[in-house]
């Protein structure tokens, strides 16, 4: 039989135009492959009753339950009718509510003792959980009607409950999936390529792809389901790792200029002036970087480490090594505040070595240039001239570095700080300014579990700084439940005042600025424009009933309230991304020199800001931030000899998941443990870059935290395959599936990432 359609066929060919339009518009399912890989969220057994007590509020849910009773009530002097149906799972109860002329029809259908699937938006009315006007399908209805036959079809297997929405219920998605599966089975699965090489399937004892697809959509037992999911996890892991292995191989084929520092040069002079000894980790990572810089293919390395672990020093030594070898190095920072901070700290560490060619500068020194979008014309012109002439061996800047007017004499190394703040095109634009591919060092202070590094950063070699330099102080963290215990918040401000009285300083962090033209709960939480100095708040996963939350607290409002209230008499200043550059720099300079007691700021201080005398931080609306971002913010205190204090203020309920996140942050300073918690709550997002274009997550069954061993095995198998068959000539089905999953945009994402 001729293949009816392939995974790339439009859904309209398989399920009809109207259904295909709803699936495309509401769930972004556009092809047969999209639907086949839209896996059930969970499963219910025939007759199994869903735990109604666990239903999330304000989400569209599908439940399997039994009808306990149904009653019609009148209101409005008998002119109105309301049907209340109670369903139960034996431990919890849920009300289904119907109004209008169809009440009596539903009353005849929804008889006590019947079981069914009920779908709608969960809400609370009069302290009772309810679904208003839910769609439903009863299991075991008269099999002469279509829905009854569909329901009876579930009788001997698990009930798949799909991610659904108001416009199309789970069982209608199941019906569309069944339609596609029936046609494909009849055609003996022609047109559905299997991406896994046969030898790999046999070695791992994996199901063939058709059996796996049937097993995940139509499982009869949990054992069958688990076998299907294991096979589909391998698909995701292996295809991704093959793509990354191809990227790593293509990198090794490129030719770069080796950068070997000269003896008794700039790097040696810098090291001799360091007032402290490098940690063992800093020496080890530097040796890894120097070894790669000396090769004739471009280094692609990820440098990750805890806040304060000394990544900037390691990066600076790499940049000085490149300058020693006759090249230039560029450090790309996400915000002007951070770029200016880097420029100040690097020039301070280098001393007269950063004044090459100037009166009083070291003979073996170089210039360190700063380039940001808000610089004056004369300063900008001078910086551009220093770059193109080669006088500046090191340049530190923001997005301004990638503008067309910027030219280098010999760009040898690109360092990207906090890489997650930059788009693919921005990183690639800077790298393209070199005649030959420059070496690349990507830095992040967000600890990344090993499996994430193997997926998100799978084309980069990884170095980890896992020890803190001597002298870093401990940080105590506590959750301040402002709604339940307002006196705790009063005590928080008293603690800030105590720190200032002791001669220290404090940060107060808020989610938004307060001068936004937009309104509503999300104002101020958005991505920054190019070369903006305001990083976006890494919004935490939404809570139940999140739409009803008040707007996030704002810097301008909080600062005014503190100055007039609990912190009156202290020197309180504000800092945010929309301030004029000179004003921001002035505030940071005065805070660094102790002229400001309390800095009320947005997340503009999240990375790179180093004020050792700042010992306390109060994060307002802390539940609005992600776990990793809170860890980053906390790293701004405890940078000197005095202990640090971080207070996480929240109105989240004690039993909420938001409070659980904050308790986790308060419980540990281990960034790797927190990154795992963050990842488990957020899931993986999109490791193939689809999130940049608004697509769905590329991971459907693979979980990078739980499937570490599988991902490692897939990486090994993929590396071996690409080494033996770089063009996948012997695996045409894998090549086809890879091309389908990795369109040019996502392939480019992996290439440039």
């Amino acid at each position: 039989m001729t293949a009816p359609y392939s995974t790339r066929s439009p859904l309209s060919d398989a399920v009809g135009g109207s259904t295909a339009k709803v699936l495309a518009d509401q769930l972004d399912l556009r092809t047969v492959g999209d639907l086949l890989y839209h896996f059930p969220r969970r499963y219910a057994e025939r007759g199994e009753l869903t735990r109604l007590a666990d239903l999330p509020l304000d989400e569209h849910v599908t439940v399997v339950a039994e009808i306990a009773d149904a009653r019609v009530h009148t209101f409005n002097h008998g002119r109105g009718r309301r049907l209340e149906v109670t369903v139960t799972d034996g431990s919890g109860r849920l009300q289904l509510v119907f109004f209008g002329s169809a009440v009596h029809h539903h009353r005849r259908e929804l008889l006590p003792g019947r079981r069914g699937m009920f779908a709608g938006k969960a809400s609370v009315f009069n302290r009772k959980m309810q679904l208003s006007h839910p769609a439903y399908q009863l299991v075991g209805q008269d099999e002469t009607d279509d829905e009854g036959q569909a329901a009876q079809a579930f009788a001997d297997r698990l009930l798949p409950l799909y991610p659904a929405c108001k416009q199309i219920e789970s069982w209608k998605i199941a019906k569309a999936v069944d339609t596609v599966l029936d046609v494909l089975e009849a055609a003996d699965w022609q047109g559905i390529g299997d991406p896994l090489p046969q030898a790999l399937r046999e070695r791992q004892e994996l199901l063939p792809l058709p059996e796996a697809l049937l097993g995940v959509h139509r499982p009869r037992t949990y054992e069958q389901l688990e076998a299907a999911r294991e096979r589909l996890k391998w698909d995701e892991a292996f295809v991704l790792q093959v793509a990354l292995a191809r990227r790593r191989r293509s990198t090794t084929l490129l030719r770069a200029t080796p950068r070997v520092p000269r003896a008794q040069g700039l790097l040696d002079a810098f090291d001799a002036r360091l007032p402290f000894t490098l940690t063992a980790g800093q020496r080890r990572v530097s040796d890894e970087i120097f070894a790669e810089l000396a090769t004739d293919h471009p280094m692609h390395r990820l440098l990750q480490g805890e806040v304060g672990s000394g990544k900037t020093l390691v990066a600076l030594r790499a940049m000085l090594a490149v300058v020693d070898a006759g090249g230039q190095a560029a450090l790309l920072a996400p915000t002007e505040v951070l770029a200016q901070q880097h420029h100040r700290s690097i020039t301070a560490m280098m001393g007269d070595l950063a004044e090459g060619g100037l009166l009083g500068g070291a003979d073996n020194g170089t210039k360190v240039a700063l380039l940001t979008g808000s610089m004056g014309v004369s300063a900008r012109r001078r910086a551009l001239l220093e770059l193109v002439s080669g006088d500046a061996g090191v340049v530190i800047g923001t997005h301004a570095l990638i503008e067309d007017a910027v030219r280098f004499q010999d760009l040898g190394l690109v360092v990207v700080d906090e890489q997650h703040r930059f788009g693919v095109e921005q990183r690639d634009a800077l790298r393209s300014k070199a005649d030959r591919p420059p070496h690349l060092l990507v830095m992040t202070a967000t600890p990344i579990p090993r499996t994430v590094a193997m997926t998100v950063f799978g084309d980069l070699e990884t170095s980890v700084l896992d020890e803190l330099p001597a002298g870093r102080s401990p940080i105590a963290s506590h959750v301040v439940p402002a709604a339940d215990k307002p006196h705790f918040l009063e005590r928080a401000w008293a603690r800030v005042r105590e720190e200032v009285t002791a001669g220290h300083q404090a940060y107060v962090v808020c989610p938004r600025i307060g001068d936004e033209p937009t309104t509503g709960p999300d104002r101020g939480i958005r991505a920054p424009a190019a070369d903006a100095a305001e990083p976006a708040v890494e919004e935490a996963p939404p809570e139940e009933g999140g739409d009803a939350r008040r707007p996030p607290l704002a810097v301008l409002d909080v600062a005014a309230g503190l100055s007039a209230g609990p912190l009156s008499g202290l020197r309180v200043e504000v800092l945010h991304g929309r301030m004029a550059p000179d004003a921001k720099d002035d505030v940071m300079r005065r805070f660094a020199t102790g002229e400001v007691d309390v800095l009320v700021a947005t997340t503009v201080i999240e990375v790179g800001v180093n004020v050792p005398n700042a010992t306390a931080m109060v994060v307002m609306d802390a539940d609005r931030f992600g776990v990793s971002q809170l860890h980053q913010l906390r790293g701004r205190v405890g940078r000197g000899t005095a202990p640090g204090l971080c207070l996480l203020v929240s109105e989240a309920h004690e039993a909420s998941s938001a409070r659980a996140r904050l308790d986790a942050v308060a419980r540990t300073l281990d960034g790797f443990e927190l990154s795992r918690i963050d990842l488990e709550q957020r899931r993986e997002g999109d490791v193939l870059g689809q999130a940049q274009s608004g697509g769905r997550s590329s991971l459907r069954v693979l979980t990078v935290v739980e499937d570490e061993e599988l991902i490692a095995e897939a990486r090994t198998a993929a590396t071996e395959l690409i080494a033996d068959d770089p063009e996948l000539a012997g695996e045409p089905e894998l090549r086809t599936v890879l091309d389908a999953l990795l369109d040019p945009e996502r392939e480019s994402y992996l290439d440039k990432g």
Side-chain angles (χ1 to χ4, degrees):
M1 178 177 177
T2 304
Y5 34 66
S6 71
T7 52
R8 297 193 188 193
S9 299
L11 263 180
S12 55
D13 292 354
V15 299
S18 58
T19 300
K21 186 177 189 309
V22 175
L23 290 171
D25 292 346
Q26 302 302 322
L27 299 173
D28 197 25
L29 305 177
R30 304 179 185 281
T31 68
V32 168
D34 289 343
L35 183 61
L36 287 176
Y37 284 84
H38 184 70
F39 300 137
R41 174 178 290 161
R42 59 187 178 88
Y43 302 82
E45 292 185 35
R46 172 78 165 96
E48 177 197 15
L49 302 180
T50 308
R51 277 190 57 82
L52 300 178
D54 296 337
L55 290 182
L57 280 176
D58 292 322
E59 288 188 17
H60 191 89
V61 299
T62 301
V63 301
V64 179
E66 180 176 310
I67 299 171
D69 63 61
R71 299 179 182 180
V72 176
H73 302 272
T74 60
F75 59 93
N76 197 15
H77 303 293
R79 291 193 295 272
R81 298 285 187 275
R82 179 179 74 252
L83 172 63
E84 293 182 358
V85 179
T86 302
V87 298
T88 181
D89 65 352
S91 63
R93 299 169 79 84
L94 174 70
Q95 275 198 336
L96 316 178
V97 183
F98 302 86
F99 296 90
S101 58
V103 159
H104 293 294
H105 166 75
H106 296 306
R107 179 68 182 85
R108 289 192 296 270
E109 296 279 319
L110 301 174
L111 300 176
R114 281 192 169 182
R115 291 183 177 131
M117 291 186 287
F118 307 92
K121 189 173 183 180
S123 61
V124 173
F125 182 74
N126 283 341
R127 298 188 177 184
K128 294 181 180 179
M129 184 83 79
Q130 71 171 25
L131 302 182
S132 181
H133 286 278
Y136 61 87
Q137 182 174 343
L138 300 176
V139 178
Q141 276 181 294
D142 183 356
E143 295 190 31
T144 58
D145 69 48
D146 291 340
E147 289 196 349
Q149 293 180 34
Q152 192 61 37
F154 288 120
D156 298 324
R157 57 185 167 90
L158 301 176
L159 302 177
L161 301 177
Y162 289 88
C165 61
K166 179 180 180 180
Q167 290 79 7
I168 184 165
E169 294 84 10
S170 171
W171 55 84
K172 292 183 180 177
I173 297 173
K175 185 175 181 180
V177 171
D178 280 339
T179 299
V180 170
L181 292 176
D182 288 344
V183 174
L184 290 173
E185 274 193 291
D188 200 24
W189 298 91
Q190 294 183 55
I192 305 298
D194 193 325
L196 294 190
Q198 183 175 351
L200 177 61
R201 292 202 307 269
E202 293 174 353
R203 185 166 70 246
Q204 296 294 331
E205 299 180 344
L206 300 172
L207 296 177
L209 182 58
E211 287 186 34
L213 290 172
L214 286 172
V216 78
H217 289 293
R218 296 174 174 175
R220 296 190 178 279
T221 65
Y222 282 109
E223 290 76 14
Q224 183 185 13
L225 172 61
E226 187 55 37
R229 289 176 60 84
E230 182 74 7
R231 161 60 211 255
L232 294 168
K233 285 182 178 183
W234 262 95
D235 280 12
E236 290 186 353
F238 186 70
V239 169
L240 173 60
Q241 293 301 331
V242 166
L244 293 168
R246 291 204 307 192
R247 298 274 56 80
R248 291 194 299 273
R249 180 179 180 276
S250 67
T251 298
T252 63
L253 298 178
L254 297 174
R255 286 293 168 258
T257 301
R259 308 288 179 173
V260 181
R262 70 182 188 275
Q264 305 304 312
L266 179 58
L267 177 61
D268 286 344
F270 174 76
D271 285 347
R273 298 181 182 206
L274 285 176
F276 50 82
T277 302
L278 296 175
T279 66
Q282 287 173 323
R283 290 194 298 272
R284 171 180 50 79
V285 171
S286 290
D287 289 343
E288 292 171 350
I289 292 172
F290 292 153
E292 282 196 279
L293 289 175
T295 64
D296 62 357
H297 62 267
M299 173 180 72
H300 274 203
R301 184 164 289 274
L302 169 69
L303 172 57
Q304 61 167 316
E306 285 283 10
V307 174
S309 59
K311 295 180 301 300
T312 302
L313 178 59
V314 170
L316 176 57
R317 296 184 75 234
M319 292 191 286
L320 296 182
V322 169
V323 176
D324 256 348
Q328 294 169 287
L331 171 58
L332 182 61
T335 70
E336 287 192 358
V337 167
L338 184 53
Q340 291 160 353
Q341 173 82 23
H342 276 317
H343 186 257
R344 279 193 298 268
S345 62
I346 286 175
T347 53
M349 282 192 288
M350 291 179 63
D352 61 357
L353 293 175
E355 299 172 350
L358 300 177
L359 185 64
D363 292 338
N364 56 350
T366 188
K367 288 183 180 177
V368 179
L370 175 67
L371 187 63
T372 65
S374 63
M375 290 174 64
V377 174
S378 61
R380 178 181 177 80
R381 184 180 296 119
R382 182 170 62 252
L384 292 175
L385 183 60
E386 290 173 346
L387 292 184
V388 74
S389 67
D391 289 345
V394 175
V395 60
I396 301 158
T398 57
H399 304 71
L401 283 175
I402 67 178
E403 293 175 359
D404 291 341
V406 179
R407 295 285 185 271
F408 293 85
Q409 185 184 75
D410 182 14
L411 180 60
L413 171 65
V414 172
V415 180
V416 180
D417 194 13
E418 292 304 317
Q419 63 79 35
H420 62 282
R421 298 289 185 83
F422 294 98
V424 174
E425 297 78 8
Q426 294 162 332
R427 295 193 295 268
D428 191 53
L430 180 54
R431 291 169 59 190
S432 69
K433 292 182 178 295
D435 294 333
R436 302 184 75 176
H439 300 282
L440 175 67
L441 180 63
V442 170
M443 296 196 301
T444 179
T446 302
I448 302 168
R450 173 172 170 261
T451 42
V452 181
M454 286 192 298
T455 50
V456 182
F457 303 106
D459 58 340
L460 300 176
E461 299 300 326
T462 303
S463 295
V464 179
L465 285 172
D466 52 8
E467 59 183 310
L468 297 181
R472 288 304 301 270
S473 300
I475 305 172
S477 302
H478 304 281
V479 178
V480 179
D484 301 336
K485 300 175 181 178
H487 61 285
F488 276 32
L489 182 57
E490 295 173 8
R491 176 59 185 147
W493 299 128
R495 283 291 291 115
V496 170
R497 187 177 283 277
E498 289 168 9
E499 290 295 312
V500 173
T501 301
H504 301 303
Q505 295 159 274
Y507 299 100
V508 177
V509 181
C510 303
R512 67 183 181 95
I513 297 171
D515 62 353
E516 296 83 355
T518 54
T519 59
D522 292 328
R523 54 184 171 180
I525 301 180
R526 57 187 181 282
D531 204 27
E534 186 66 52
V537 169
E538 181 187 319
E539 182 79 342
E543 292 302 308
E544 297 86 350
D547 290 343
R549 290 199 295 179
R550 59 159 172 75
L553 293 173
V555 165
L556 300 181
D557 299 334
V558 169
L562 291 176
S563 295
L567 301 186
S568 62
L570 301 186
R571 296 169 295 179
V572 178
E573 296 273 2
V574 301
L575 180 70
H576 58 77
R578 284 207 289 273
M579 292 169 60
D582 289 345
K584 284 185 299 202
D585 202 35
D586 178 62
V587 170
M588 277 308 305
R589 180 190 57 77
R590 290 190 291 112
F591 187 66
T593 57
E595 298 173 43
V596 174
D597 297 321
V598 179
L599 187 63
V600 184
T602 58
T603 52
V604 73
I605 63 152
E606 179 184 347
V607 290
V609 174
N610 183 25
V611 180
N613 193 49
T615 56
M617 172 176 287
V618 180
V619 183
M620 307 302 294
D621 281 345
D623 53 288
R624 307 266 184 167
F625 299 87
V627 169
S628 293
Q629 193 168 36
L630 288 172
H631 183 58
Q632 291 291 310
L633 288 166
R634 174 171 57 184
R636 298 309 103 203
V637 297
R639 303 178 75 85
T641 56
L645 173 67
C646 181
L647 302 176
L648 306 172
V649 179
S650 172
E651 295 180 359
H653 190 273
E654 187 175 8
S656 67
S657 59
R659 179 63 179 272
R661 287 196 304 273
L662 298 183
D663 288 340
V665 174
R667 188 169 56 245
T668 180
L669 293 173
D670 186 338
F672 285 92
E673 179 183 342
L674 290 175
S675 70
R676 281 183 169 272
I677 294 170
D678 202 15
L679 195 66
E680 287 166 357
Q681 292 187 341
R682 291 173 177 273
R683 298 283 299 172
E684 284 70 27
D686 185 6
V687 300
L688 296 185
Q690 285 172 290
Q692 293 198 357
S693 57
R696 299 180 314 279
S697 167
S698 57
L699 297 186
R700 293 171 174 82
V701 290
L702 189 69
T703 305
V704 297
V705 171
E706 298 174 1
D707 298 319
E708 180 172 344
E709 183 177 340
L710 188 153
I711 293 171
E713 291 180 15
R715 180 182 174 93
T716 300
T719 302
E720 293 172 352
L721 175 63
I722 293 302
D724 295 338
D725 185 5
E727 303 303 322
L728 300 177
E731 300 293 341
E733 291 182 337
L734 171 59
R735 191 170 64 244
T736 299
V737 172
L738 195 66
D739 291 342
L741 290 177
L742 293 174
D743 59 30
E745 180 180 354
R746 279 171 275 166
E747 186 85 11
S748 174
Y749 175 89
L750 291 174
D751 188 20
K752 300 169 185 174

